[in-house]
Amino acid sequence: MGILLLNIVSFAMPGDAYINPLAWGSGRPVDLAAWGVNQLLFEGRMRGLLALLFGAGVLLGAARAERRLRWHYARMAVLALFGLGHGYLLWNGDILLHYAILGCLLPVAWDWSAGRLVRAAIVVLTLQTLLLSLQFGAAFVFRAAAEAPGASESLVAGYRAMIASFPQPGSATVAADLAAYRGEWPDILDYHWNVRGDAPLRLLQFAGGETLGYMLLGMGLARSGMLTGQVSGRALGRMMAWGYGIGLPALAGLTAWAAATRFDPIVLMGNFLAWSIPFRVATALAHLALVLWLARRFAASTIVQRIASVGRMAFTNYLATSLVMTTLFYGYGGALFGRIGRAELYFFVAAMWAAMLIASPWWLARYGTGPLERLWRALSGRIANATQ
């Protein structure tokens, strides 16, 4: 549900608008406010929590399954197939293939202690932060050299080519996205294959370390008992205080910096991919603690039970959201792509949330598990048994 707060922009607007709020739209104060709230509270946190829970699920599944290695790789193979279909046939923002690839690394850490898993997560996240920070720090140096008096033509041309690849108003990417996603499904399929075909590799390059770090962190938290209710309310309160106390002021500063530079492309990309990582992790853990506390405090409430049902059908709901939103926004359906303001997109989010909260309990009450969860399990079992 939280991921849709971010993904809705990618469903409804050119991809550059996801990072740069001026890349598409009017730049109204309400739109900039929507962007700022997401940067402060949700960007990277929702993906992080999903990856964290994915890692926890892998660990818990391994503890239950016989022939666990064969079963795990069968599950990852089926997930990869779903991801390929989702990413190329429906929506180019797929995360399933990304998780399947990185999930293949997790058996190495199955038997590690909670402490070792958390330490490994910190190492991976730190390395990702440092490597990308150096890369975007070098971009500032590159710009200074290109703008210095007497800079060579080749240096200036190289800098301009770099900046042209960053999200910004009037970019070639914005024009290409508008042309493709306002077209029919064959046009979109061709665009995904021939223009955006390297999207899974780029996602691994720029986000693989962060995603793997969250997965390891989730495994560690599952092993420690935090995700199964074995942590006191006081401990959850301390996690919230530390996480929000460290993360929110830093993220507010980074967001303000981006706005003060009038959304400078290097600042935006550096914040998005590198400098915000430690603070996103801190606030993601605080969000996790808050959700655990609320779920414990209001466990008997109808809304918590409905949200739990949505979670039990997360795979189905994730893909159903892509189907609904692409049908609404792409040219072969409602043809709303690029025609709805950023702030107004959250009416679509609210409607989809309502649909999930109504449909998920209804389905589970009758069938016990989500349709795609059942299919994933059945196909994985067939592959696992076939490879004995």
Side-chain angles (χ1 to χ4, degrees), residues 78-92:
V78 175
L79 186 63
L81 291 175
F82 273 107
L84 285 167
H86 180 224
Y88 286 100
L89 302 179
L90 192 61
W91 181 55
N92 201 233

Side-chain angles (χ1 to χ4, degrees), residues 87-166:
Y88 286 100
L89 302 179
L90 192 61
W91 181 55
N92 201 233
D94 170 71
I95 201 77
L96 302 178
L97 178 60
H98 185 66
Y99 282 11
I101 292 169
L102 293 170
C104 290
L105 304 177
L106 298 183
V108 173
W110 265 346
D111 298 320
W112 292 0
S113 67
R116 188 179 180 186
L117 285 162
V118 172
R119 288 192 297 273
I122 292 171
V123 169
V124 171
L125 289 164
T126 300
L127 287 174
Q128 179 83 354
T129 303
L130 290 175
L131 290 172
L132 289 175
S133 294
L134 287 171
Q135 181 175 336
F136 287 102
F140 282 118
V141 176
F142 192 11
R143 176 159 67 189
E147 293 178 349
S152 68
E153 291 184 7
S154 62
L155 185 65
V156 172
Y159 169 71
R160 288 175 176 169
M162 180 191 76
I163 288 297
S165 69
F166 286 7

